[in-house]
Amino acid sequence: MVLKDQLTADMKEAMKAKDKERLSVVRMLKASVQNEEIKLGHELTDEEALTLLSRELKQRKDSYEEFKSAGREDLLAPLEKEICIVQTYLPEPLTTEELTSIITETISEVQAEQMSDFGKVMGAVMPKVKGRADGKEIQAIVKQQLQK
């Protein structure tokens, strides 16, 4: 499994560089991968690893928003660094134009015409953009496209 090997190599590199922040995040990610493998009973596929990394990133982004709204400025900087480190393991995010193009194409594929088709469109779009776009952004674009 490529991700697990990459995490191990990055962990060793962070230890040698004495980069405690990076080491901590990489260890958390590695532990998450191992826990997921135990839970599933097999090594993670690339798609499962991508799902796991997306979930880890989302948790950190949600925490960032919570801390920001609670006025906990002291916790924002370390969390920003964690988010950056987790993002290095994810594929390059799609631009808004690329995402809009994929959504428009999917809407025509599933023959969606109104807001009642929202779930059908989301179900078809999500596997295509897994790990490369934020769900909230996808949701907003789909709603915008279906309201035309």
Side-chain angles (χ1 to χ4, degrees), residues 100-116:
T100 304
S101 170
I102 291 170
I103 290 170
T104 305
E105 183 182 301
T106 305
I107 287 173
S108 64
E109 282 175 17
V110 298
Q111 299 166 353
E113 296 172 4
Q114 51 199 6
M115 279 305 290
S116 62

Side-chain angles (χ1 to χ4, degrees), residues 1-3 14 26 33 35 60 69-71 87 91 112 118 129 135 142:
M1 153 99 279
V2 180
L3 176 64
V26 172
V33 167
N35 288 337
R60 283 163 178 78
S69 66
Q87 284 175 332
F118 178 80
V129 298
V142 169

Side-chain angles (χ1 to χ4, degrees), residues 8-147:
T8 302
D10 289 351
M11 196 167 79
K12 289 177 185 175
E13 190 179 302
M15 282 182 197
K16 288 178 184 175
K18 295 186 179 11
D19 186 349
K20 291 181 181 177
E21 290 171 340
R22 184 168 186 82
L23 178 61
S24 173
V25 174
V26 172
R27 278 184 173 153
M28 278 191 278
L29 291 174
K30 192 168 185 213
S32 293
V33 167
Q34 288 174 333
N35 288 337
E36 193 71 12
E37 286 179 344
I38 290 168
K39 181 176 144 190
L40 296 175
H42 62 82
E43 280 198 17
L44 297 181
T45 64
D46 288 341
E47 188 175 315
E48 290 169 336
L50 191 58
T51 301
L52 174 76
L53 289 172
S54 297
R55 186 171 57 225
E56 291 290 328
L57 181 64
K58 184 178 183 326
Q59 286 174 350
R60 283 163 178 78
K61 284 184 175 181
D62 290 347
S63 295
Y64 184 86
E65 292 303 317
E66 291 289 323
F67 292 153
K68 195 172 186 176
S69 66
R72 295 295 311 265
E73 303 297 323
D74 57 321
L75 298 173
L76 294 180
L79 208 49
E80 284 175 357
K81 290 177 185 173
E82 280 188 32
I83 289 170
C84 290
I85 293 168
V86 174
Q87 284 175 332
T88 62
Y89 295 100
L90 288 167
E92 193 68 31
L94 294 168
T95 64
T96 305
E97 293 81 30
E98 292 172 320
L99 187 57
T100 304
S101 170
I102 291 170
I103 290 170
T104 305
E105 183 182 301
T106 305
I107 287 173
S108 64
E109 282 175 17
V110 298
Q111 299 166 353
E113 296 172 4
Q114 51 199 6
M115 279 305 290
S116 62
D117 297 324
F118 178 80
K120 190 183 344 178
V121 175
M122 287 297 289
V125 168
M126 291 309 282
K128 293 180 181 180
V129 298
K130 188 171 223 70
R132 298 187 64 204
D134 182 51
K136 291 177 185 174
E137 185 181 5
I138 296 168
Q139 212 174 25
I141 295 171
V142 169
K143 283 181 182 176
Q144 176 191 4
Q145 294 278 329
L146 289 176
Q147 288 176 349

